[in-house]
Coordinates of all heavy atoms in Angstrom, one line a residue:
M75 N -92.4 93.4 -53.9 CA -91.2 92.8 -53.2 C -91.1 93.4 -51.8 O -91.4 94.6 -51.5 CB -89.9 93.3 -54.0 CG -88.7 92.7 -53.4 SD -87.3 93.1 -54.6 CE -86.1 93.5 -53.4
K76 N -90.8 92.5 -50.8 CA -90.7 92.9 -49.4 C -89.5 93.8 -49.1 O -88.4 93.5 -49.6 CB -90.7 91.7 -48.6 CG -90.8 91.9 -47.1 CD -90.8 90.6 -46.3 CE -90.7 91.0 -44.8 NZ -90.3 89.8 -44.0
S77 N -89.7 94.8 -48.4 CA -88.6 95.7 -48.0 C -87.7 95.0 -47.1 O -88.1 94.3 -46.2 CB -89.2 97.0 -47.3 OG -88.1 97.7 -46.8
P78 N -86.4 95.2 -47.3 CA -85.4 94.6 -46.4 C -85.3 95.3 -45.0 O -84.7 94.8 -44.1 CB -84.1 94.7 -47.2 CG -84.3 95.9 -48.1 CD -85.7 95.9 -48.4
V79 N -85.9 96.5 -44.9 CA -85.9 97.2 -43.7 C -87.1 96.8 -42.8 O -88.2 96.7 -43.2 CB -86.0 98.7 -44.0 CG1 -86.0 99.5 -42.7 CG2 -84.8 99.2 -44.8
V80 N -86.7 96.5 -41.5 CA -87.8 96.0 -40.6 C -87.9 97.1 -39.5 O -86.9 97.5 -38.9 CB -87.3 94.7 -39.9 CG1 -88.4 94.2 -38.9 CG2 -87.1 93.6 -41.0
K81 N -89.1 97.5 -39.3 CA -89.4 98.6 -38.2 C -89.9 97.9 -37.0 O -90.8 97.1 -37.0 CB -90.4 99.5 -38.7 CG -90.6 100.7 -37.9 CD -91.6 101.7 -38.5 CE -91.7 103.0 -37.8 NZ -92.5 104.0 -38.5
R82 N -89.2 98.2 -35.8 CA -89.6 97.6 -34.6 C -89.7 98.6 -33.5 O -89.0 99.6 -33.5 CB -88.6 96.5 -34.1 CG -88.5 95.3 -35.1 CD -87.8 94.2 -34.4 NE -87.9 93.0 -35.3 CZ -86.9 92.3 -35.6 NH1 -85.7 92.4 -35.1 NH2 -87.0 91.3 -36.5
S83 N -90.6 98.4 -32.6 CA -90.7 99.3 -31.4 C -89.8 98.8 -30.3 O -89.7 97.6 -30.1 CB -92.2 99.3 -30.9 OG -93.0 99.9 -31.9
I84 N -89.2 99.7 -29.6 CA -88.3 99.4 -28.6 C -88.3 100.5 -27.5 O -88.6 101.6 -27.8 CB -86.8 99.2 -29.1 CG1 -85.9 98.5 -28.1 CG2 -86.3 100.5 -29.7 CD1 -84.7 97.9 -28.7
V85 N -88.1 100.1 -26.3 CA -88.1 101.0 -25.2 C -86.7 101.4 -24.9 O -85.8 100.6 -24.6 CB -88.8 100.5 -23.9 CG1 -88.7 101.5 -22.8 CG2 -90.2 100.1 -24.2
V86 N -86.4 102.7 -25.0 CA -85.0 103.3 -24.8 C -85.1 104.3 -23.7 O -85.8 105.3 -23.9 CB -84.5 103.9 -26.1 CG1 -83.1 104.4 -25.8 CG2 -84.4 102.9 -27.2
A87 N -84.4 104.1 -22.6 CA -84.4 105.0 -21.5 C -85.9 105.4 -21.0 O -86.2 106.5 -20.7 CB -83.7 106.3 -21.8
G88 N -86.7 104.4 -21.0 CA -88.1 104.5 -20.5 C -89.0 105.1 -21.5 O -90.2 105.3 -21.2
H89 N -88.6 105.4 -22.8 CA -89.5 105.9 -23.8 C -89.6 104.9 -25.0 O -88.5 104.4 -25.4 CB -88.9 107.2 -24.3 CG -88.8 108.3 -23.3 ND1 -87.7 108.5 -22.5 CD2 -89.8 109.2 -22.8 CE1 -87.9 109.5 -21.7 NE2 -89.2 109.9 -21.8
K90 N -90.8 104.7 -25.4 CA -91.0 103.8 -26.6 C -90.7 104.6 -27.9 O -91.1 105.7 -28.0 CB -92.4 103.3 -26.6 CG -92.7 102.2 -27.5 CD -94.1 101.7 -27.3 CE -94.4 100.5 -28.3 NZ -95.7 100.0 -28.1
T91 N -89.9 103.9 -28.7 CA -89.6 104.5 -30.0 C -89.5 103.5 -31.1 O -89.5 102.3 -30.7 CB -88.2 105.3 -29.9 OG1 -88.0 106.0 -31.1 CG2 -87.1 104.3 -29.7
S92 N -89.6 103.9 -32.3 CA -89.5 102.9 -33.4 C -88.2 103.1 -34.1 O -87.6 104.2 -34.3 CB -90.6 103.2 -34.4 OG -91.9 103.0 -33.9
V93 N -87.6 101.9 -34.4 CA -86.3 101.9 -35.1 C -86.4 101.0 -36.4 O -87.0 99.9 -36.3 CB -85.2 101.3 -34.2 CG1 -83.9 101.3 -34.9 CG2 -85.1 102.1 -32.9
S94 N -86.0 101.6 -37.5 CA -86.0 100.9 -38.8 C -84.6 100.4 -39.1 O -83.7 101.3 -39.3 CB -86.6 101.7 -39.9 OG -87.9 102.1 -39.6
L95 N -84.4 99.1 -39.2 CA -83.1 98.6 -39.6 C -83.3 97.4 -40.5 O -84.3 96.7 -40.4 CB -82.3 98.1 -38.3 CG -81.9 99.1 -37.3 CD1 -81.4 98.3 -36.1 CD2 -80.8 100.0 -37.9
E96 N -82.3 97.1 -41.3 CA -82.3 95.8 -42.1 C -82.2 94.7 -41.1 O -81.6 94.8 -40.0 CB -81.1 95.8 -43.1 CG -81.2 96.9 -44.1 CD -80.9 98.3 -43.7 OE1 -80.4 98.5 -42.6 OE2 -81.1 99.2 -44.5
E97 N -82.7 93.5 -41.5 CA -82.7 92.3 -40.7 C -81.3 91.9 -40.2 O -81.1 91.5 -39.1 CB -83.4 91.2 -41.4 CG -83.7 90.0 -40.6 CD -84.8 90.3 -39.5 OE1 -85.7 91.0 -39.7 OE2 -84.6 89.7 -38.4
A98 N -80.3 92.1 -41.1 CA -79.0 91.8 -40.7 C -78.5 92.6 -39.5 O -77.8 92.1 -38.6 CB -78.0 92.0 -41.9
F99 N -78.9 93.9 -39.4 CA -78.5 94.7 -38.3 C -79.2 94.3 -37.0 O -78.7 94.3 -35.9 CB -78.7 96.2 -38.6 CG -77.6 96.7 -39.5 CD1 -77.9 96.9 -40.9 CD2 -76.4 97.0 -39.1 CE1 -77.0 97.4 -41.7 CE2 -75.4 97.5 -40.0 CZ -75.7 97.7 -41.3
W100 N -80.5 93.9 -37.2 CA -81.3 93.4 -36.0 C -80.6 92.1 -35.5 O -80.4 92.0 -34.3 CB -82.7 93.1 -36.3 CG -83.6 94.3 -36.4 CD1 -84.2 94.8 -37.5 CD2 -83.9 95.3 -35.4 NE1 -84.9 96.0 -37.2 CE2 -84.7 96.3 -35.9 CE3 -83.6 95.3 -34.0 CZ2 -85.2 97.3 -35.2 CZ3 -84.1 96.4 -33.3 CH2 -84.9 97.4 -33.8
N101 N -80.2 91.2 -36.4 CA -79.5 90.0 -36.0 C -78.2 90.3 -35.3 O -77.8 89.7 -34.3 CB -79.3 89.1 -37.2 CG -80.6 88.5 -37.7 OD1 -81.6 88.5 -37.0 ND2 -80.6 88.1 -39.0
G102 N -77.4 91.2 -35.8 CA -76.2 91.6 -35.2 C -76.4 92.2 -33.8 O -75.6 91.9 -32.9
M103 N -77.4 93.0 -33.7 CA -77.7 93.6 -32.4 C -78.1 92.5 -31.4 O -77.6 92.5 -30.2 CB -78.9 94.6 -32.5 CG -78.6 95.8 -33.2 SD -77.6 96.9 -32.3 CE -78.8 97.4 -31.0
K104 N -78.8 91.5 -31.8 CA -79.2 90.4 -30.9 C -78.0 89.6 -30.5 O -77.8 89.2 -29.3 CB -80.2 89.5 -31.6 CG -81.6 90.1 -31.8 CD -82.5 89.1 -32.5 CE -83.7 89.8 -33.0 NZ -84.5 89.0 -33.9
E105 N -77.1 89.4 -31.4 CA -75.8 88.7 -31.1 C -75.0 89.4 -30.1 O -74.5 88.9 -29.1 CB -75.0 88.4 -32.4 CG -73.8 87.6 -32.2 CD -73.0 87.3 -33.4 OE1 -73.6 87.3 -34.5 OE2 -71.8 87.1 -33.3
I106 N -74.8 90.7 -30.4 CA -74.0 91.6 -29.5 C -74.6 91.6 -28.1 O -73.9 91.5 -27.1 CB -73.8 93.0 -30.1 CG1 -73.0 92.9 -31.4 CG2 -73.1 93.9 -29.1 CD1 -73.1 94.2 -32.2
S107 N -75.9 91.9 -28.0 CA -76.6 92.0 -26.7 C -76.4 90.7 -25.9 O -76.2 90.6 -24.7 CB -78.0 92.5 -26.8 OG -78.8 91.5 -27.5
G108 N -76.6 89.5 -26.7 CA -76.4 88.2 -26.0 C -75.0 88.0 -25.5 O -74.8 87.5 -24.3
L109 N -74.0 88.4 -26.2 CA -72.6 88.3 -25.8 C -72.3 89.2 -24.6 O -71.5 88.8 -23.8 CB -71.7 88.6 -27.0 CG -71.7 87.5 -28.1 CD1 -70.9 88.1 -29.3 CD2 -71.1 86.2 -27.6
R110 N -73.0 90.3 -24.5 CA -72.8 91.2 -23.4 C -73.7 91.0 -22.3 O -73.7 91.7 -21.3 CB -73.0 92.7 -23.9 CG -71.9 93.1 -24.9 CD -72.1 94.6 -25.2 NE -71.0 95.2 -25.9 CZ -70.8 96.5 -26.0 NH1 -71.8 97.3 -25.6 NH2 -69.8 96.9 -26.7
D111 N -74.5 90.0 -22.4 CA -75.5 89.6 -21.4 C -76.4 90.8 -21.0 O -76.5 91.1 -19.8 CB -74.8 89.0 -20.1 CG -75.7 88.3 -19.2 OD1 -76.7 87.7 -19.7 OD2 -75.5 88.2 -18.0
M112 N -76.9 91.4 -22.0 CA -77.8 92.6 -21.8 C -79.0 92.5 -22.7 O -78.9 91.7 -23.7 CB -77.1 93.9 -21.9 CG -76.5 94.1 -23.3 SD -75.2 95.5 -23.4 CE -75.8 96.8 -22.4
T113 N -80.1 93.2 -22.4 CA -81.2 93.2 -23.3 C -80.9 94.1 -24.5 O -80.1 94.9 -24.5 CB -82.5 93.7 -22.6 OG1 -82.3 95.1 -22.3 CG2 -82.8 92.9 -21.3
L114 N -81.7 93.8 -25.6 CA -81.6 94.7 -26.8 C -81.9 96.1 -26.4 O -81.2 97.0 -26.9 CB -82.6 94.2 -27.8 CG -82.4 94.5 -29.2 CD1 -81.0 94.0 -29.7 CD2 -83.5 93.9 -30.1
S115 N -82.9 96.4 -25.5 CA -83.2 97.7 -25.1 C -82.1 98.4 -24.4 O -81.8 99.6 -24.6 CB -84.5 97.7 -24.2 OG -85.6 97.4 -24.9
E116 N -81.4 97.6 -23.5 CA -80.2 98.2 -22.8 C -79.1 98.5 -23.8 O -78.5 99.6 -23.7 CB -79.7 97.1 -21.8 CG -80.6 97.0 -20.6 CD -80.2 95.8 -19.7 OE1 -79.5 94.8 -20.2 OE2 -80.6 95.8 -18.6
L117 N -78.9 97.7 -24.8 CA -77.8 98.0 -25.8 C -78.2 99.2 -26.6 O -77.3 100.1 -26.8 CB -77.6 96.7 -26.7 CG -76.5 96.9 -27.7 CD1 -75.1 97.2 -27.0 CD2 -76.4 95.6 -28.5
V118 N -79.4 99.3 -27.0 CA -79.8 100.4 -27.8 C -79.7 101.7 -27.0 O -79.3 102.8 -27.4 CB -81.3 100.3 -28.4 CG1 -81.7 101.5 -29.0 CG2 -81.3 99.1 -29.4
G119 N -80.1 101.6 -25.7 CA -79.9 102.7 -24.8 C -78.5 103.2 -24.7 O -78.2 104.4 -24.6
E120 N -77.6 102.3 -24.6 CA -76.1 102.6 -24.5 C -75.7 103.3 -25.8 O -75.0 104.3 -25.8 CB -75.3 101.3 -24.3 CG -73.9 101.5 -24.2 CD -73.1 100.2 -24.1 OE1 -73.4 99.4 -23.1 OE2 -72.2 99.9 -24.9
I121 N -76.1 102.8 -26.9 CA -75.8 103.4 -28.2 C -76.4 104.8 -28.3 O -75.7 105.7 -28.7 CB -76.3 102.5 -29.4 CG1 -75.5 101.2 -29.4 CG2 -76.1 103.2 -30.7 CD1 -76.2 100.1 -30.3
D122 N -77.6 104.9 -27.9 CA -78.3 106.2 -28.0 C -77.6 107.2 -27.1 O -77.4 108.4 -27.5 CB -79.7 106.0 -27.5 CG -80.6 107.3 -27.7 OD1 -80.4 108.0 -28.7 OD2 -81.3 107.6 -26.7
S123 N -77.2 106.8 -25.9 CA -76.5 107.8 -25.0 C -75.1 108.2 -25.5 O -74.6 109.2 -25.1 CB -76.5 107.2 -23.6 OG -75.6 106.1 -23.5
N124 N -74.5 107.3 -26.3 CA -73.1 107.6 -26.8 C -73.1 108.3 -28.1 O -72.0 108.7 -28.6 CB -72.3 106.3 -26.8 CG -72.0 105.8 -25.4 OD1 -71.8 106.6 -24.5 ND2 -71.9 104.5 -25.3
R125 N -74.2 108.4 -28.8 CA -74.1 108.9 -30.2 C -73.9 110.4 -30.2 O -74.4 111.1 -29.3 CB -75.4 108.5 -31.0 CG -76.6 109.2 -30.6 CD -77.7 108.7 -31.5 NE -79.0 108.9 -30.9 CZ -80.0 109.5 -31.4 NH1 -79.9 110.0 -32.7 NH2 -81.2 109.7 -30.8
Q126 N -73.1 110.9 -31.1 CA -72.8 112.3 -31.2 C -73.8 113.1 -32.0 O -74.1 114.2 -31.7 CB -71.4 112.4 -31.8 CG -70.3 111.7 -31.1 CD -70.1 112.2 -29.7 OE1 -70.0 113.4 -29.4 NE2 -70.0 111.2 -28.7
Q127 N -74.3 112.4 -33.1 CA -75.2 113.1 -34.0 C -75.9 112.1 -34.8 O -75.7 110.9 -34.7 CB -74.5 114.1 -34.9 CG -73.4 113.5 -35.7 CD -72.5 114.5 -36.4 OE1 -72.6 115.7 -36.1 NE2 -71.6 114.0 -37.3
G128 N -76.8 112.5 -35.6 CA -77.5 111.6 -36.5 C -78.7 110.9 -35.8 O -78.9 111.1 -34.6
N129 N -79.4 110.2 -36.6 CA -80.6 109.5 -36.0 C -80.2 108.2 -35.4 O -79.1 107.7 -35.6 CB -81.7 109.3 -37.0 CG -81.3 108.4 -38.2 OD1 -80.7 107.4 -38.0 ND2 -81.8 108.8 -39.4
L130 N -81.0 107.6 -34.6 CA -80.7 106.4 -33.9 C -80.5 105.2 -34.8 O -79.5 104.4 -34.5 CB -81.9 106.1 -32.9 CG -81.7 104.9 -32.0 CD1 -80.4 105.0 -31.2 CD2 -82.9 104.7 -31.1
S131 N -81.2 105.1 -35.8 CA -81.0 103.9 -36.8 C -79.6 104.0 -37.4 O -78.9 103.0 -37.4 CB -82.0 103.9 -37.9 OG -83.3 103.7 -37.4
S132 N -79.1 105.2 -37.7 CA -77.8 105.3 -38.3 C -76.7 105.0 -37.2 O -75.7 104.3 -37.5 CB -77.6 106.7 -38.8 OG -78.4 107.0 -39.9
A133 N -77.0 105.5 -36.0 CA -76.0 105.2 -34.9 C -75.9 103.7 -34.6 O -74.8 103.2 -34.4 CB -76.5 105.9 -33.6
I134 N -77.0 103.0 -34.7 CA -77.0 101.5 -34.5 C -76.3 100.8 -35.6 O -75.4 100.0 -35.3 CB -78.5 101.0 -34.4 CG1 -79.1 101.5 -33.1 CG2 -78.5 99.5 -34.5 CD1 -80.6 101.2 -33.0
R135 N -76.5 101.2 -36.9 CA -75.8 100.6 -38.0 C -74.3 100.8 -37.8 O -73.5 99.9 -38.0 CB -76.3 101.2 -39.3 CG -77.6 100.8 -39.8 CD -77.9 101.3 -41.1 NE -79.3 101.0 -41.5 CZ -80.3 101.8 -41.3 NH1 -80.1 103.0 -40.8 NH2 -81.5 101.5 -41.7
L136 N -73.9 102.0 -37.5 CA -72.4 102.3 -37.3 C -71.8 101.5 -36.1 O -70.7 101.0 -36.2 CB -72.2 103.8 -37.1 CG -72.5 104.7 -38.3 CD1 -72.4 106.1 -38.0 CD2 -71.5 104.3 -39.5
F137 N -72.6 101.4 -35.1 CA -72.1 100.6 -33.9 C -71.9 99.1 -34.3 O -70.9 98.5 -34.0 CB -73.2 100.7 -32.8 CG -72.9 99.8 -31.6 CD1 -72.0 100.2 -30.6 CD2 -73.4 98.5 -31.5 CE1 -71.7 99.4 -29.6 CE2 -73.1 97.7 -30.5 CZ -72.3 98.1 -29.5
V138 N -72.9 98.5 -35.0 CA -72.8 97.1 -35.4 C -71.6 96.9 -36.3 O -70.9 96.0 -36.2 CB -74.2 96.6 -36.0 CG1 -74.0 95.2 -36.6 CG2 -75.3 96.6 -34.9
L139 N -71.5 97.8 -37.3 CA -70.4 97.8 -38.3 C -69.1 97.8 -37.5 O -68.2 97.0 -37.8 CB -70.5 98.9 -39.3 CG -69.3 99.0 -40.3 CD1 -69.3 97.8 -41.2 CD2 -69.5 100.3 -41.1
D140 N -68.9 98.8 -36.6 CA -67.7 98.9 -35.9 C -67.4 97.7 -35.0 O -66.3 97.2 -34.9 CB -67.7 100.2 -35.0 CG -66.4 100.4 -34.3 OD1 -65.4 100.6 -35.0 OD2 -66.4 100.4 -33.0
Y141 N -68.4 97.2 -34.4 CA -68.3 96.0 -33.5 C -67.7 94.8 -34.3 O -66.7 94.2 -33.9 CB -69.6 95.6 -32.9 CG -69.5 94.4 -32.0 CD1 -69.1 94.5 -30.7 CD2 -69.7 93.1 -32.5 CE1 -69.0 93.3 -29.9 CE2 -69.6 92.0 -31.8 CZ -69.3 92.1 -30.4 OH -69.2 91.0 -29.7
F142 N -68.3 94.5 -35.4 CA -67.9 93.3 -36.2 C -66.6 93.6 -37.0 O -65.8 92.7 -37.2 CB -69.0 92.9 -37.1 CG -70.1 92.1 -36.4 CD1 -71.3 92.7 -36.1 CD2 -69.9 90.9 -35.9 CE1 -72.3 92.1 -35.4 CE2 -70.8 90.2 -35.1 CZ -72.1 90.8 -34.9
R143 N -66.3 94.9 -37.4 CA -65.1 95.2 -38.0 C -63.9 95.0 -37.0 O -62.9 94.5 -37.3 CB -65.1 96.7 -38.5 CG -63.8 97.1 -39.2 CD -63.9 98.6 -39.5 NE -64.7 98.8 -40.6 CZ -65.2 100.0 -41.0 NH1 -65.0 101.0 -40.2 NH2 -66.0 100.1 -42.0
T144 N -64.1 95.5 -35.8 CA -63.1 95.3 -34.7 C -62.9 93.8 -34.4 O -61.7 93.4 -34.3 CB -63.6 96.0 -33.4 OG1 -63.7 97.4 -33.7 CG2 -62.5 95.9 -32.3
R145 N -63.9 93.0 -34.4 CA -63.8 91.6 -34.1 C -63.1 90.9 -35.3 O -62.2 90.1 -35.0 CB -65.2 91.0 -34.0 CG -65.3 89.9 -33.0 CD -66.6 89.6 -32.6 NE -67.1 88.5 -33.4 CZ -68.3 87.9 -33.2 NH1 -69.1 88.3 -32.2 NH2 -68.7 86.9 -33.9
A146 N -63.3 91.3 -36.5 CA -62.6 90.7 -37.7 C -61.2 91.1 -37.6 O -60.3 90.2 -37.9 CB -63.3 91.2 -39.0
A147 N -60.8 92.3 -37.3 CA -59.4 92.7 -37.2 C -58.7 92.0 -36.1 O -57.5 91.6 -36.3 CB -59.4 94.2 -37.0
A148 N -59.3 91.8 -35.0 CA -58.7 91.0 -33.9 C -58.5 89.6 -34.3 O -57.4 89.0 -34.0 CB -59.6 91.0 -32.7
A149 N -59.4 89.0 -35.0 CA -59.3 87.6 -35.5 C -58.1 87.5 -36.5 O -57.3 86.6 -36.5 CB -60.6 87.1 -36.1
A150 N -58.0 88.5 -37.4 CA -57.0 88.5 -38.4 C -55.6 88.7 -37.7 O -54.6 88.0 -38.1 CB -57.2 89.6 -39.4
S151 N -55.5 89.5 -36.7 CA -54.3 89.7 -36.0 C -53.9 88.4 -35.3 O -52.7 88.0 -35.3 CB -54.4 90.8 -34.9 OG -54.6 92.0 -35.6
A152 N -54.8 87.7 -34.7 CA -54.5 86.5 -34.0 C -54.1 85.4 -35.0 O -53.1 84.6 -34.7 CB -55.8 86.0 -33.2
T153 N -54.7 85.3 -36.1 CA -54.3 84.4 -37.1 C -52.9 84.7 -37.6 O -52.0 83.8 -37.8 CB -55.3 84.4 -38.3 OG1 -56.6 84.1 -37.8 CG2 -54.9 83.4 -39.4
A154 N -52.6 86.0 -37.9 CA -51.2 86.3 -38.3 C -50.2 86.0 -37.2 O -49.1 85.5 -37.6 CB -51.2 87.8 -38.6
A155 N -50.5 86.3 -36.0 CA -49.5 86.0 -34.9 C -49.3 84.5 -34.8 O -48.2 84.1 -34.6 CB -50.1 86.6 -33.6
A156 N -50.4 83.7 -34.9 CA -50.2 82.3 -34.8 C -49.4 81.7 -36.0 O -48.6 80.8 -35.8 CB -51.6 81.6 -34.9
S157 N -49.5 82.3 -37.2 CA -48.7 81.8 -38.3 C -47.3 82.2 -38.2 O -46.4 81.5 -38.7 CB -49.3 82.2 -39.6 OG -49.2 83.6 -39.8
E158 N -47.0 83.3 -37.5 CA -45.6 83.7 -37.3 C -44.8 82.8 -36.4 O -43.6 82.6 -36.5 CB -45.5 85.1 -36.7 CG -45.9 86.2 -37.7 CD -45.9 87.6 -37.0 OE1 -45.5 87.7 -35.9 OE2 -46.4 88.5 -37.7
H159 N -45.6 82.2 -35.4 CA -45.0 81.3 -34.4 C -45.0 79.8 -34.8 O -44.6 79.0 -34.0 CB -45.6 81.6 -33.1 CG -45.4 82.9 -32.6 ND1 -44.2 83.5 -32.2 CD2 -46.3 83.9 -32.4 CE1 -44.4 84.7 -31.8 NE2 -45.7 85.0 -32.0
K160 N -45.6 79.6 -36.0 CA -45.7 78.2 -36.4 C -44.3 77.7 -36.9 O -43.7 78.3 -37.7 CB -46.7 78.1 -37.5 CG -47.2 76.8 -37.9 CD -48.3 76.9 -38.9 CE -49.2 75.8 -39.0 NZ -50.3 75.9 -40.0
P161 N -43.9 76.5 -36.5 CA -42.6 76.0 -37.0 C -42.7 75.7 -38.5 O -43.7 75.1 -38.9 CB -42.4 74.7 -36.1 CG -43.6 74.6 -35.3 CD -44.5 75.7 -35.5
Q162 N -41.7 76.0 -39.2 CA -41.7 75.7 -40.6 C -40.9 74.5 -40.9 O -39.9 74.2 -40.2 CB -41.1 76.9 -41.4 CG -41.9 78.2 -41.2 CD -41.6 79.2 -42.2 OE1 -40.8 79.1 -43.0 NE2 -42.3 80.4 -42.0
G163 N -41.4 73.7 -41.8 CA -40.7 72.5 -41.9 C -40.9 71.9 -43.2 O -40.7 71.3 -44.1

């Protein structure tokens, strides 16, 4: 059975490194970097420079989780606000 973890090489702050992530996290990273109009390497560099501890793969997973969790909460708030202002009839 094929492992769900994909290992890729990436340049971070001028240094080549390998990062192992599940395909879903790679896809999330690509989506986020596209929305921010930056390269995957730039985004990983930003995550790397802001991480407090732990390895890079874990920091990336937490970043992607937080990004989409925040987006989901914002969408839920917008939906709730829209339903409060909807005329009832």
